[in-house]
């Protein structure tokens, strides 16, 4: 038996978990873990990978299961209560995760910010918990491309997310509106996906819509901030093999949900983080999405949907 394998197998599960959580929580180098725990660097790397896979397998179904129809309604109720954006089922965004250059990867992971990365795409609820993640897409891809090729994006396109039936907005009797996800300008407008209007020559109503959408969309930004400031290995480039690096991010996301449900969070921890957004790409929506957005725009200017402070805030 290889010496590293023998040493790894001789380390008890509790110590493996401690080593992994130390790495995720501090971002300590493998050399630092070697001195702290008296294990080889390759052994520490293997322990981190195996433990992160075990964490994901143990927690994923419990803390990140796909919502069903009634749960989507509950998520939308919280968005309405906290962000005053009705029929909102989640906020979406993608962030670059810095890594060392993967072996024989060419420029696929080299992003427009001039460093190597893969993408963490996430959809979160209004409680700052991740309800879906896609981890590992090339850093050279745009948010819209990552979204379109993700399981979540395909399910949304195929109407397979079990979203609730269309319903009227609070205080109105018509029209029945779909449940939507909110994102920034990198995503294509769709019936179930709202993005802001282009910033040129906006009318007052469209400026209000952009403000209202931003209030809901910032939830995912805060979720990323909480994630990165809790699991500080995300503040520096990940010097692990690509497969291991992806496993660490997946584990951090389910641990984020686990800790979020148990302990809550400190809002100040979400205000700054080192995760970089994607470069905006030119994407076009379709007419049905544009019609839905116009209905939301009209509602946000109506007596039933307007906020007392929204004109002062834009």
């Amino acid at each position: 038996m290889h010496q590293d394998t023998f040493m790894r197998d001789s380390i008890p599960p509790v110590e493996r978990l401690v080593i992994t959580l130390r790495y995720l929580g501090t971002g300590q180098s493998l050399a630092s873990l070697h001195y702290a725990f008296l294990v080889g660097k390759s052994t520490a790397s293997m322990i981190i990978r195996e433990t992160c896979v075990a964490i994901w397998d143990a927690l994923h179904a419990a803390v990140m299961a796909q919502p069903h129809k009634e749960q989507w309604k509950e998520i939308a109720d919280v968005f309405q209560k906290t962000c005053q954006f009705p029929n909102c089922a989640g906020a979406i965004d993608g962030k670059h995760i810095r890594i060392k250059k993967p072996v024989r990867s060419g420029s696929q992971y080299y992003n427009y910010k001039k460093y190597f990365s893969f993408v963490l795409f996430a959809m979160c609820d209004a409680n700052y918990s991740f309800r879906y993640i896609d981890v590992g897409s090339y850093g050279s891809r745009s948010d819209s491309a990552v979204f379109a090729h993700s399981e979540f994006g395909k399910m949304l396109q195929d109407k397979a997310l079990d979203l609730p039936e269309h319903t009227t907005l609070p205080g109105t009797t018509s029209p029945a509106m779909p449940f939507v996800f909110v994102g920034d300008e990198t995503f294509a407008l769709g019936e179930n996906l709202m993005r802001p209007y282009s910033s040129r020559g906006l009318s007052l109503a469209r400026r209000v819509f952009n403000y209202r959408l931003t209030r809901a969309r910032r939830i995912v930004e805060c979720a990323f901030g909480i994630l990165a400031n809790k699991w500080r290995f995300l503040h520096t480039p990940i010097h692990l093999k690509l497969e291991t690096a992806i496993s660490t991010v997946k584990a951090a996301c389910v641990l984020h949900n686990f800790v979020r449900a148990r302990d809550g969070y400190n809002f100040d921890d979400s205000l700054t983080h080192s995760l970089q957004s994607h470069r905006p790409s030119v994407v076009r929506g379709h007419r049905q999405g544009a019609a839905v957005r116009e209905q939301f725009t009209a509602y946000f200017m109506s007596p039933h949907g307007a906020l007392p402070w929204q004109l002062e805030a834009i």
Side-chain angles (χ1 to χ4, degrees):
M1 181 181 294
H2 192 279
Q3 184 177 1
D4 280 348
T5 303
F6 174 79
M7 287 189 62
R8 187 175 78 252
D9 291 345
S10 67
I11 297 172
V14 171
E15 187 171 352
R16 293 171 181 235
L17 182 60
V18 170
I19 290 171
T20 302
L21 294 179
R22 175 74 66 86
Y23 172 76
L24 297 178
T26 66
Q28 280 185 267
S29 66
L30 294 178
S32 178
L33 294 173
H34 160 69
Y35 288 111
F37 294 95
L38 301 179
V39 296
K41 289 187 285 187
S42 62
T43 299
S45 178
M46 288 242 191
I47 287 172
I48 290 169
R49 178 176 63 82
E50 292 172 355
T51 306
C52 284
V53 169
I55 289 171
W56 171 263
D57 290 343
L59 293 180
H60 176 247
V63 302
M64 205 183 287
Q66 180 181 321
H68 53 68
K69 190 168 295 184
E70 290 305 313
Q71 290 174 323
W72 286 123
K73 291 179 181 179
E74 292 171 3
I75 292 171
D77 287 344
V78 180
F79 267 104
Q80 169 64 6
K81 183 182 297 184
T82 59
C83 304
Q84 292 77 50
F85 199 111
N87 286 29
C88 181
I92 63 175
D93 199 7
K95 295 296 180 185
H96 288 288
I97 305 298
R98 289 175 177 260
I99 55 173
K100 68 176 183 179
K101 181 183 178 181
V103 177
R104 294 186 294 275
S105 65
S107 61
Q108 291 173 319
Y109 291 94
Y110 194 64
N111 65 45
Y112 79 104
K113 292 280 191 177
K114 310 299 183 185
Y115 60 81
F116 291 93
S117 68
F118 59 75
V119 177
L120 165 59
F121 167 79
M123 185 275 288
C124 77
D125 62 26
N127 289 318
Y128 307 95
S129 292
F130 298 115
R131 291 306 186 108
Y132 174 85
I133 61 171
D134 182 276
V135 187
S137 293
Y138 300 139
S140 58
R141 278 185 169 181
S142 67
D143 270 0
S144 56
V146 173
F147 173 73
H149 288 88
S150 69
E151 180 184 1
F152 179 82
K154 292 174 182 177
M155 291 182 73
L156 182 63
Q157 178 70 27
D158 296 338
K159 307 291 186 183
L161 285 176
D162 195 30
L163 291 173
E165 292 78 13
H166 293 197
T167 185
T168 56
L169 301 181
T172 68
T173 57
S174 66
M177 297 285 285
F179 283 77
V180 300
F181 299 92
V182 294
D184 62 20
E185 64 276 6
T186 63
F187 296 99
L189 183 67
E191 181 186 12
N192 300 108
L193 181 54
M194 294 291 99
R195 57 169 280 176
Y197 290 100
S198 172
S199 59
R200 294 183 178 180
L202 290 180
S203 65
L204 178 63
R206 291 187 173 189
R207 287 165 58 200
V208 167
F209 173 86
N210 283 1
Y211 165 70
R212 297 287 292 270
L213 181 139
T214 298
R215 294 184 76 247
R217 192 191 64 80
R218 70 181 181 184
I219 294 292
V220 69
E221 287 285 345
C222 289
F224 282 130
I226 298 165
L227 174 75
N229 287 309
K230 185 75 172 181
W231 308 107
R232 301 190 70 82
F233 80 104
L234 293 169
H235 281 271
T236 57
I238 302 176
H239 290 282
L240 299 170
K241 293 180 180 179
L242 179 62
E243 179 185 357
T244 305
I246 290 172
S247 293
T248 61
V249 174
K250 292 171 67 176
C253 288
V254 291
L255 286 170
H256 165 92
N257 282 10
F258 178 79
V259 174
R260 171 78 189 97
R262 188 191 68 179
D263 296 341
Y265 74 101
N266 180 353
F267 182 76
D268 290 340
D269 289 343
S270 71
L271 298 180
T272 59
H273 59 80
S274 59
L275 303 183
Q276 297 291 323
S277 297
H278 266 156
R279 174 176 53 187
S281 57
V282 179
V283 289
R284 300 183 65 181
H286 55 69
R287 293 181 179 179
Q288 196 168 12
V292 172
R293 185 167 64 176
E294 288 294 341
Q295 291 289 348
F296 274 111
T297 302
Y299 177 74
F300 291 149
M301 294 297 290
S302 73
H304 297 296
L307 298 177
W309 66 84
Q310 64 187 23
L311 296 182
E312 286 74 24
I314 61 176

